[in-house]
Amino acid sequence: MTLNIGKTYEAIRAAAKQKRFLTYGEVAAASGVEWNKARRPIPQHLDQLVKISHERGWPLLSAIVVNKENVETGELAGESLAGFLAAIEKIGIPVEDPKAFLKQQQQAVFAWADSAPEHLSDGSVAPPNGSAGPRFVHYFNPVLDALRSLGGSAAPESVYDWIRGQVQVPVEELEGVNKGGQSKFHNKVAWARFYLAKAGLIDASKRGVWALTPEGVNTTLSHTDALQIFRRIQSQFKTSANDEEEAPDLISTEELFADPDRRFWFVGAAWGGTDDQTPRFLSDGIWQNGFHNKFADEVKNMKPGDKIAIKAAFVRKNNLPFDNLGKSVSCMRIKAIGTITDNVGDGKTVRVSWEALDPPRDWFFYTYRVTLVEADRNDELARKLIAFTFAGRKQDYDFWINEVPYFAKKYGPVARPANDEDLLADEETETEEEAAAPSYTIENIAEDGCFLAPEQLADIFGRIQSKKNLVLQGPPGTGKTWLAKRLAYAMIGSRDPKVTRDRLRVVQFHPSLSYEDFVRGWRPSVAGKLELIDGLFLEIVEAAKAEPDRPFVLVIEEINRGNPAQIFGEILTLLEDTKRSRDEAMELAYRREPGERVFVPKNLHVIGTMNIADRSLALVDLALRRRFAFVTLEPTLNELWRAWCGERSGMPADAITLVKHRLDELNDEIENDRSLGPQYRVGHSYVTPPAGLMAEKAESWFSDVVRTEIVPLLEEYWFDAPDKVKAAKQKLLAGF
């Protein structure tokens, strides 16, 4: 439900006839809108009514709308008075004494009410023929009035009939035809519908149905307003101003998605220090991939008939068309749209029939930063972007702020306040190269102290990318958690906390963790009531859906320490790499509404760690094993480890050799012990010194590690053989 300007008018007229003031809550109730959803749009809604009142020569109707606590006195103060005065300033009325002016307008509204039209549309007629602009501009407001009177949507013929019955249409328009044999009247109304749809006031998503958008429901246009819309849209889309020409047909979203093989591509046109290539692409009728070693496969998949858009991504904070609470918002500027006509086949170039957008159109929240992205036509959020880009739909900011959980938490009614970074952030652009270039890669993992061979590390990274889910298993001290987090940084492309705080989540499974904690369950709220609350997993799922071209990672430590089958529930099925799509969505045990279905997006990766030496842990069931790739980490005291100890820690070479020899001996004994085995060996993390360790501290450092870390572990292993523990300790410390 949205605020209806006609309903608001009728509520104000009824209150004014009773000589009483109206509350903001009553305005919302008149349209059947809950207050928490009406709070944001009401100021703009009432501004529109001020404008309409002024244009029709009425007193300013919103003057009698006041706060609940002032309904007896009619006083306005603070933000309410400031908003009313700002609306008055926009229509050019000078005010010297605000309170006196308010009282005067309130009394004028009460006096006006007895002779006021019963409905707002009763005062809407087409402007005289002599008004400026093409004749079809005169039909802008009658089309809106017709649809309001017809319940918000109607077939074209019903709109034509309503206008003929309510507006004086010249005989030459009703009886005349244009060059194509079409009725001049029908053609002019069709032109009006075209412009209103491009302005976001009419929804053309269904063929054969004209429907008001939420903004259209609340909009009444003067002829001046209509001319402004005409000039803006005409400039942007380069449409004709000759209403004798046949009105262009608007592509509906039904038509846009009618071909199941049609794909939708969003591409960049600037790389590093190069200039924006958009003018060249438009003049040459092409798009080219500016990278030599990226996106070639995607380009080869482009085919004639696919839709393509040139975009640029950046961050905006100021002068936004919605309340962003002072926070930075991701923005994607659509500069041109087109249809692919041919693929050269070189993995670089496609030929395109382009349509430049001047000025470009800005889309917020759900954006693509990398150079080439295929929008998923089966995803609800992506379909909204596709309709905005290729069918001229207007972005519904209220939907993104209130209905998409990820953005609702940032910008909605219960959003967190802006932090220092948001307050200090300026608008920031970035090139496609910068967006695609990660600041943290698998090479950085090696530099941080990973002792795996480069090809082994690359293989593990590749398995995460392809399988989506991976478990690092191994004996204690083999760096499973350390490596899991750094693999996550490499997936995300950064270890900057500002980047990773929303895109990397870490949780540890334990025996008390439940499905209700991890996925969704009923929990008490601060008001003492039970609420259905999403757990960490669904939170990161929603975040990944909201930023589809950016990797998100969930690290699960000790994945087998809890009961994975119970904790994951039906999510275990959705994790499978072949079921990461909306088509595979399933209903959860706890649903917010009937038929709600959930799926796991492809850009969410799960990395688990598992200690295979802990006797207290349950065996991992086969269902979990089938959905994860498993990589076993071994104690690794190789040349890379030796180089770290010597070059990064300053440990003497003889001490390095002795530590390796002692730990190898211990691990051989553990591996050959029939009550233990290789999974109980002691990992290299125990004996890897910190960076910058001074040479003279090496012996005391190793002694401390043996006494306080390794020996307690051995006491657990050989709890019934204290002599073996004592002997092992002596061997480890011999020579130190």
Side-chain angles (χ1 to χ4, degrees):
M1 296 290 292
T2 57
L3 295 172
N4 184 311
I5 198 76
K7 298 288 187 185
T8 298
Y9 169 85
E10 291 167 13
I12 289 177
R13 175 179 173 272
K17 286 174 72 69
Q18 300 171 17
K19 304 296 188 285
R20 70 177 182 86
F21 298 103
L22 197 70
T23 69
Y24 294 109
E26 288 178 292
V27 170
S31 297
V33 179
E34 295 178 4
W35 173 246
N36 62 342
K37 292 184 178 179
R39 181 177 61 85
R40 284 175 179 267
I42 267 188
Q44 183 178 1
H45 182 70
L46 294 178
D47 284 359
Q48 177 76 11
L49 198 56
V50 167
K51 185 177 179 182
I52 293 170
S53 305
H54 180 62
E55 289 170 349
R56 298 189 179 183
W58 297 338
L60 305 181
L61 304 189
S62 67
I64 69 167
V65 182
V66 299
N67 291 316
K68 184 177 181 180
E69 58 270 21
N70 297 327
V71 73
E72 295 296 330
T73 64
E75 293 181 359
L76 281 180
E79 292 184 4
S80 299
L81 180 59
F84 178 69
L85 294 175
I88 295 168
E89 184 179 354
K90 289 178 184 176
I91 60 176
I93 297 179
V95 176
E96 294 183 3
D97 186 337
K99 291 190 176 182
F101 179 83
L102 174 66
K103 289 296 182 184
Q104 181 268 324
Q105 288 296 316
Q106 290 173 340
Q107 294 304 314
V109 172
F110 292 150
W112 157 90
D114 290 332
S115 60
E118 185 175 353
H119 304 292
L120 184 63
S121 59
D122 294 344
S124 301
V125 295
N129 292 337
S131 299
R135 171 63 186 166
F136 62 74
V137 175
H138 302 164
Y139 290 105
F140 280 21
N141 198 65
V143 169
L144 297 179
D145 283 343
L147 289 173
R148 272 191 286 268
S149 297
L150 295 169
S153 65
E157 286 300 329
S158 298
V159 176
Y160 299 145
D161 290 344
W162 189 94
I163 294 175
R164 275 193 294 260
Q166 299 294 324
V167 176
Q168 186 175 357
V169 181
V171 174
E172 60 270 21
E173 286 185 10
L174 287 173
E175 299 178 353
V177 294
N178 58 18
K179 294 179 181 179
Q182 183 186 30
S183 159
K184 288 187 175 183
F185 167 66
H186 284 191
N187 191 50
K188 286 175 171 55
V189 174
W191 268 109
R193 178 250 189 172
F194 171 84
Y195 276 88
L196 292 170
K198 290 295 185 182
L201 301 177
I202 286 183
D203 181 359
S205 61
K206 291 185 179 181
R207 191 157 189 82
V209 176
W210 297 5
L212 292 171
T213 65
E215 186 174 352
V217 169
N218 299 322
T219 299
T220 299
L221 299 174
S222 67
H223 189 61
T224 300
D225 296 331
L227 278 174
Q228 289 176 347
I229 289 176
F230 161 71
R231 289 165 183 156
R232 174 169 58 83
I233 301 300
Q234 199 274 336
S235 172
Q236 186 174 40
F237 292 94
K238 308 304 183 208
T239 54
S240 173
N242 182 3
D243 56 8
E244 291 301 313
E245 293 185 11
E246 186 174 349
D249 191 19
L250 285 164
I251 184 170
S252 69
T253 51
E254 288 178 343
E255 294 171 297
L256 194 62
F257 295 111
D259 182 355
D261 295 324
R262 176 178 288 160
R263 303 170 81 167
F264 302 91
W265 305 93
F266 289 79
V267 298
W271 297 276
T274 62
D275 294 332
D276 183 1
Q277 300 295 301
T278 302
R280 179 173 71 86
F281 291 160
L282 297 181
S283 63
D284 293 351
I286 62 170
W287 179 78
Q288 288 183 327
N289 174 22
F291 295 97
H292 298 294
N293 57 351
K294 292 181 180 179
F295 310 119
D297 291 340
E298 288 88 342
V299 175
K300 289 179 181 178
N301 285 331
M302 294 177 169
K303 65 183 186 305
D306 285 356
K307 295 293 184 180
I308 187 171
I310 295 177
K311 52 82 181 175
F314 52 97
V315 173
R316 284 186 60 184
K317 190 182 72 172
N318 302 314
N319 302 316
L320 298 179
F322 52 87
D323 183 3
N324 57 320
L325 305 178
K327 299 180 178 182
S328 299
V329 182
S330 181
C331 175
M332 188 162 66
R333 181 159 291 165
I334 308 299
K335 299 188 285 187
I337 59 175
T339 302
I340 296 174
T341 58
D342 185 37
N343 191 323
V344 176
D346 60 356
K348 183 178 180 180
T349 306
V350 290
R351 294 191 175 92
V352 182
S353 173
W354 286 115
E355 176 187 349
L357 300 183
D358 183 20
R361 302 179 70 207
D362 284 351
W363 168 271
F364 298 93
F365 306 112
Y366 181 94
T367 61
Y368 302 139
R369 295 192 317 154
V370 297
T371 297
L372 192 157
V373 179
E374 179 187 358
D376 182 359
R377 58 179 290 151
N378 295 315
D379 182 82
E380 176 194 8
L381 303 184
R383 287 172 74 91
K384 290 182 179 294
L385 168 61
I386 292 169
F388 170 88
T389 304
F390 300 107
R393 301 292 86 82
K394 194 166 184 177
Q395 185 172 12
D396 181 356
Y397 306 121
D398 285 341
F399 167 82
W400 293 91
I401 291 173
N402 296 314
E403 304 299 330
V404 181
Y406 179 71
F407 296 116
K409 289 179 181 178
K410 285 190 172 184
Y411 310 105
V414 293
R416 296 185 299 270
N419 57 33
D420 291 342
E421 292 162 5
D422 286 312
L423 295 174
L424 296 174
D426 294 321
E427 296 194 3
E428 174 186 346
T429 59
E430 63 183 356
T431 67
E432 301 293 335
E433 186 174 52
E434 289 168 340
S439 61
Y440 192 94
T441 66
I442 56 174
E443 286 75 19
N444 296 110
I445 299 178
E447 294 171 3
D448 283 352
C450 180
F451 309 135
L452 297 175
E455 57 274 13
Q456 185 180 2
L457 191 57
D459 181 64
I460 295 173
F461 192 71
R463 291 300 293 147
I464 301 173
Q465 291 178 309
S466 60
K467 185 69 173 175
K468 307 297 183 188
N469 313 308
L470 178 135
V471 168
L472 298 174
Q473 62 181 5
T478 47
K480 299 180 289 297
T481 297
W482 183 94
L483 181 58
K485 290 182 179 178
R486 280 157 182 80
L487 287 170
Y489 297 151
M491 287 297 303
I492 294 170
S494 173
R495 64 177 301 175
D496 184 341
K498 295 192 297 292
V499 176
T500 62
R501 67 184 175 193
D502 290 326
R503 295 167 58 194
L504 169 62
R505 304 293 295 272
V506 181
V507 64
Q508 179 172 327
F509 278 8
H510 53 78
S512 297
L513 192 69
S514 68
Y515 174 92
E516 287 76 10
D517 299 319
F518 185 65
V519 181
R520 177 185 285 171
W522 292 97
R523 302 180 198 171
S525 68
V526 292
K529 299 179 180 179
L530 285 179
E531 292 185 2
L532 198 56
I533 304 295
D534 286 348
L536 180 147
F537 185 79
L538 285 189
E539 286 180 351
I540 196 169
V541 162
E542 292 299 333
K545 289 179 183 178
E547 300 190 72
D549 71 326
R550 304 178 190 185
F552 285 71
V553 183
L554 173 63
V555 172
I556 304 175
E557 297 193 48
E558 307 288 2
I559 195 170
N560 61 330
R561 188 170 289 278
N563 182 340
Q566 187 271 333
I567 295 171
F568 279 111
E570 63 277 341
I571 294 297
L572 197 56
T573 297
L574 300 178
L575 278 176
E576 191 167 338
D577 58 318
T578 59
K579 296 183 178 178
R580 298 289 193 95
S581 70
R582 184 173 294 276
D583 292 340
E584 300 291 342
M586 294 177 62
E587 293 189 9
L588 299 182
Y590 300 108
R591 295 178 293 279
R592 295 197 180 281
E593 56 188 32
E596 181 200 19
R597 294 174 180 269
V598 171
F599 71 98
V600 177
K602 295 178 181 179
N603 59 322
L604 174 58
H605 306 266
V606 180
I607 304 175
T609 68
M610 188 166 71
N611 186 344
I612 57 178
D614 194 330
R615 290 189 182 91
S616 67
L617 303 184
L619 294 175
V620 175
D621 67 26
L622 295 179
L624 182 69
R625 285 197 176 277
R626 189 165 66 82
R627 288 164 175 82
F628 283 77
F630 284 76
V631 172
T632 301
L633 301 182
E634 306 279 352
T636 306
L637 303 178
N638 56 13
E639 291 304 313
L640 293 173
W641 174 81
R642 294 181 67 96
W644 170 275
C645 294
E647 298 170 9
R648 302 290 290 274
S649 297
M651 194 172 181
D654 56 345
I656 296 172
T657 300
L658 193 56
V659 169
K660 172 177 168 51
H661 179 66
R662 294 284 186 261
L663 199 66
D664 284 345
E665 282 186 333
L666 175 62
N667 281 336
D668 286 343
E669 184 176 2
I670 292 173
E671 184 172 358
N672 294 322
D673 190 314
R674 295 180 62 183
S675 65
L676 298 176
Q679 68 268 31
Y680 289 89
R681 289 171 295 169
V682 178
H684 53 270
S685 297
Y686 284 98
V687 294
T688 301
L693 179 74
M694 297 176 62
E696 59 270 20
K697 292 184 178 180
E699 291 186 7
S700 61
W701 169 80
F702 182 70
S703 297
D704 289 342
V705 169
V706 170
R707 288 185 296 100
T708 63
E709 299 180 44
I710 297 178
V711 169
L713 181 66
L714 297 179
E715 289 173 341
E716 289 289 329
Y717 289 175
W718 291 316
F719 63 93
D720 56 351
D723 290 342
K724 293 186 72 170
V725 177
K726 184 177 180 181
K729 177 180 179 181
Q730 290 174 347
K731 288 180 182 179
L732 285 169
L733 294 176
F736 284 94

